[in-house]
Amino acid sequence: ATTTTGARRLNPTTATATTAVSTTAAATTAGIKALYTYKSATNVAKPTNADFKTKLNQKLSAAQLPTVTSATVADPVVVTTTTTTVAVVQTKTVKSKVDIKVDTCTTANNFVNDAEAKKATCKTMANKTGVSEKDVKCDVSSQNCRRLQDELVDSTRRKLADPSIQVAYEITVPAGKSAADISSSVSNIDKNAFQASLIQNLAGTNFENASLTVLSIAAPTTSTGLSGYKECYDKQACYFYDYVANTHYVIHSSKPVDLTTCGKACAAAGAGCEAFEHINVVNEPTCVFWKAGACNIPRGNPP
């Protein structure tokens, strides 16, 4: 296996219309009936009977086949179909975690399940990093809240660690800012200032009087992904020898291509690419398409 980035595609979100036009040519006596389908972005004009007969006989004669004596072209039937496209744009995200001490596990568990509390935690990070709230995702979970957390347990009367809330932040780097800018903002957040801002944002919620103490703000990490794909796995890949070439994978390019180019090619391939693998190593396939359910990283290798 080599160091790669893999991505698995979401359902496409945009559609463009095409038009299919069918015409029928049939001999009036013992002959043939043929259905023709044209694909075009605009309507296709119906040929005249004489023009169709002339051109058909030219082809038949060239192939040394019998010609037709007449041809009747029916009115076309227009069928509108759709093709799908996926907007594939490279994105960068900055991730961090904030641990917040609370008084009880009841508070922690209630906080996790409160939409307004979650919104306040997202708003706090947005304020501190200078981005829009829509660019911040928050995953809130309770910590140290096992059964009997708030009681003295075992023969030594040992008490478990204090209950807390952990907020996992994922910040999408917006236009006009860089991942370095956001990372620097996160790194420079003061715990006390973050705590004060969070308490202020919780005003009017069920936790405006809750006892909260920010314990730590984790160092930020940066990752690269693509819009139009639901998961990206950095430095994870699959062994080719577990699969069959052109059945489970196709080497799209052995020449250097960037991540976005590979992702766009996979999206354009439709069913021919369920996921793709990208690598920046000389003399290695740089863009590989996976299909038929192969290289499903969450399920293991091989799936």
Side-chain angles (χ1 to χ4, degrees):
T2 52
T3 301
T4 63
T5 298
R8 194 155 293 273
R9 183 152 37 89
L10 283 176
N11 292 329
T13 56
T14 60
T16 56
T18 61
T19 303
V21 180
S22 302
T23 64
T24 303
T28 57
T29 59
I32 60 171
K33 183 177 182 179
L35 176 68
Y36 296 89
T37 300
Y38 302 86
K39 291 184 178 180
S40 174
T42 59
N43 290 339
V44 178
K46 184 183 80 169
T48 64
N49 294 342
D51 185 52
F52 185 87
K53 173 188 171 183
T54 298
K55 291 182 178 179
L56 176 60
N57 281 338
Q58 289 174 349
K59 297 292 184 182
L60 292 172
S61 296
Q64 298 183 342
L65 295 171
T67 59
V68 300
T69 57
S70 65
T72 302
V73 181
D75 290 334
V77 177
V78 179
V79 180
T80 301
T81 59
T82 59
T83 56
T84 56
T85 58
V86 177
V88 178
V89 180
Q90 183 168 307
T91 61
K92 288 187 178 294
T93 57
V94 175
K95 298 179 181 181
S96 180
K97 292 181 179 180
V98 176
D99 288 309
I100 305 167
K101 177 184 174 182
V102 295
D103 52 357
T104 67
C105 279
T106 298
T107 298
N109 292 329
N110 289 340
F111 195 104
V112 168
N113 295 310
D114 191 291
E116 291 302 314
K118 181 177 180 180
K119 182 178 179 180
T121 60
C122 289
K123 181 178 180 179
T124 302
M125 181 59 77
N127 292 344
K128 291 302 178 182
T129 54
V131 302
S132 171
E133 289 181 53
K134 67 180 179 60
D135 293 322
V136 180
K137 293 181 180 179
C138 303
D139 183 15
V140 186
S141 60
S142 60
Q143 305 291 311
N144 307 318
C145 285
R146 295 173 299 193
R147 185 171 176 264
L148 299 180
Q149 166 62 43
D150 296 320
E151 299 179 13
L152 295 176
V153 295
D154 74 26
S155 59
T156 62
R157 309 292 285 177
R158 178 179 57 86
K159 191 171 183 178
L160 300 178
D162 291 326
S164 64
I165 299 162
Q166 184 175 86
V167 185
Y169 288 100
E170 183 175 313
I171 307 167
T172 299
V173 179
K177 288 184 177 289
S178 68
D181 293 334
I182 304 301
S183 294
S184 177
S185 295
V186 174
S187 297
N188 291 324
I189 296 175
D190 177 74
K191 290 190 300 181
N192 293 330
F194 190 94
Q195 178 177 312
S197 180
L198 176 59
I199 291 173
Q200 181 180 2
N201 290 329
L202 286 170
T205 73
N206 294 326
F207 303 91
E208 62 180 345
N209 297 315
S211 175
L212 305 173
T213 303
V214 174
L215 299 175
S216 64
I217 301 174
T221 59
T222 302
S223 61
T224 301
L226 293 177
S227 62
Y229 290 84
K230 64 180 181 180
E231 294 290 349
C232 289
Y233 301 92
D234 192 31
K235 298 181 181 180
Q236 297 185 61
C238 295
Y239 293 109
F240 289 143
Y241 58 70
D242 284 323
Y243 303 94
V244 179
N246 299 318
T247 297
H248 297 117
Y249 68 90
V250 174
I251 296 176
H252 176 70
S253 177
S254 294
K255 297 180 180 180
V257 296
D258 59 37
L259 179 68
T260 304
T261 299
C262 186
K264 287 181 177 179
C266 176
C273 183
E274 297 170 3
F276 75 88
E277 187 175 299
H278 177 262
I279 187 173
N280 288 314
V281 177
V282 177
N283 299 323
E284 294 284 349
T286 62
C287 183
V288 177
F289 294 171
W290 290 95
K291 56 184 181 177
C295 195
N296 190 330
I297 291 176
R299 290 174 54 192
N301 178 44

